């Protein structure tokens, strides 16, 4: 099983990008799929996550600008990023996880895709 991410690239401030991530080779539905991002010297941070029922969580810096969605039939998760800001520049990682004892548990990581926003 692997997570295949795509869609990163270069955008201008105020522009948009759409990231996609598909769990290839998994027969199971992941109950939690997430996007994280990381910049050099900093810890990886949550951007947004979505359950298999469609419940979503967003980090405060991206609320109102980013939208996470998923297609359960394909175990695929998307991140629509709008009104991009230079501070959104990072490597974005997808994660396919689950709930354990009611808690969110991270699982398989994708390879990361670079998003660069110019001012």
């Amino acid at each position: 099983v692997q997570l295949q991410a795509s869609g990163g690239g270069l955008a201008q401030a105020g522009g948009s990008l759409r990231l996609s991530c598909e769990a290839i080779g998994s027969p199971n539905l992941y109950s939690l799929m997430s996007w994280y991002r990381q910049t050099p010297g900093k810890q990886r941070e949550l951007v947004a996550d979505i359950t298999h029922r469609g419940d979503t969580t967003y980090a405060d810096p991206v609320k109102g600008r980013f939208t996470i969605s998923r297609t359960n039939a394909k175990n695929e998760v998307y991140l629509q990023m709008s009104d991009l800001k230079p501070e959104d520049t990072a490597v974005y990682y997808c994660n396919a996880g689950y709930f354990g004892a009611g808690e969110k548990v991270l699982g398989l990581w994708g390879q990361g895709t670079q998003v660069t926003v110019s001012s």
Side-chain angles (χ1 to χ4, degrees):
V1 179
Q2 63 175 340
L3 293 184
Q4 185 72 45
S6 60
L10 178 65
Q12 291 189 330
S16 300
L17 285 173
R18 186 174 187 255
L19 307 182
S20 299
C21 178
E22 182 179 7
I24 299 171
S26 172
N28 303 313
L29 175 65
Y30 291 100
S31 55
L32 180 71
M33 298 192 80
S34 313
W35 287 99
Y36 280 71
R37 65 187 182 187
Q38 188 171 25
T39 55
K42 293 189 176 181
Q43 286 191 329
R44 199 170 293 186
E45 62 179 10
L46 175 69
V47 176
D49 63 30
I50 184 168
T51 72
H52 64 288
R53 292 191 177 93
D55 298 321
T56 58
T57 302
Y58 293 94
D60 285 343
V62 307
K63 283 181 180 177
R65 300 188 298 120
F66 291 10
T67 302
I68 190 171
S69 60
R70 64 184 290 171
T71 302
N72 287 339
K74 296 174 62 178
N75 253 341
E76 193 161 1
V77 63
Y78 315 97
L79 187 68
Q80 178 66 46
M81 304 184 293
S82 301
D83 190 22
L84 284 162
K85 302 178 180 181
E87 50 264 43
D88 295 319
T89 296
V91 177
Y92 284 71
Y93 297 89
C94 56
N95 184 278
Y98 58 96
F99 287 89
E103 297 293 321
K104 295 178 180 179
V105 180
L106 297 179
L108 188 66
W109 289 99
Q111 83 278 19
T113 183
Q114 177 71 46
V115 171
T116 302
V117 183
S118 62
S119 57

